Amino acid sequence: MSLLELKNVSKIYGELHALDNVNLSVDTGEWVAIMGPSGSGKSTMMNIIGCMDKPTSGQVLLDGVDISKESAKNLTVIRRDKIGLIFQQFHLVNYLTAVENVMVSQYYHSMPDEAEALAALDRVGLADRAKHLPSQLSGGEQQRVCIARALINYPEIVLADEPTGNLDEANENIVLDIFQQLHKEGTTLIVVTHDPEVADAAQRTIVLEHGRVAREVVNESFEEGRSYI
């Protein structure tokens, strides 16, 4: 069953068609990678799916609701309740500890709960780093804090923008292992990446060129439960 559908979606800035009549369907529990060169529309698509922007035309259906027609206020609520965002640049608050950074996401959703935040950090292997500041964590550890923060409110979709872009191979594999576990648990994953190895971990890859879907590649060798470490 489709959790997310883009129907004839375009995003136009003056003469620039950042997205040009895009159609895409993502099933519940599916792991999809989005690839393409710089300027292909990846970031624009991510912002629209993540309820941070609206298309110029077309429909974006999330759980059957056309979010392209929602107000900015309602989009904030939808993003808070349904979408977990993971960024390449981490966006951690530098004066808060790891567990406090995770609790910030809870604050905007419901009530901060340190025990739940600690459990989320434990899930990504960082229970022993909970009281450390971002400056005391490696890049890979900071990215795992971001993942814990994205997961704390149990989103329907995890949307990751270049989640391994700043990581070495060892930490990239840790992140892919976490994604594999999330997929096994039924989480819907949409990962924007330049890295073919990250894309190859997904079930399906969508390749964008000049704002259009150039092709879709199904990973015939996708292995459920594969370990990357």
Side-chain angles (χ1 to χ4, degrees), residues 76-77 80-81 103-112 153:
T76 299
V77 173
R80 181 195 69 192
D81 292 346
M103 291 168 68
V104 166
S105 187
Q106 289 180 307
Y107 175 80
Y108 291 106
H109 183 267
S110 51
M111 289 291 290
N153 296 321

Side-chain angles (χ1 to χ4, degrees), residues 112-123:
D113 185 318
E114 185 172 0
E116 283 191 4
L118 287 169
L121 286 173
D122 185 52
R123 188 178 183 186

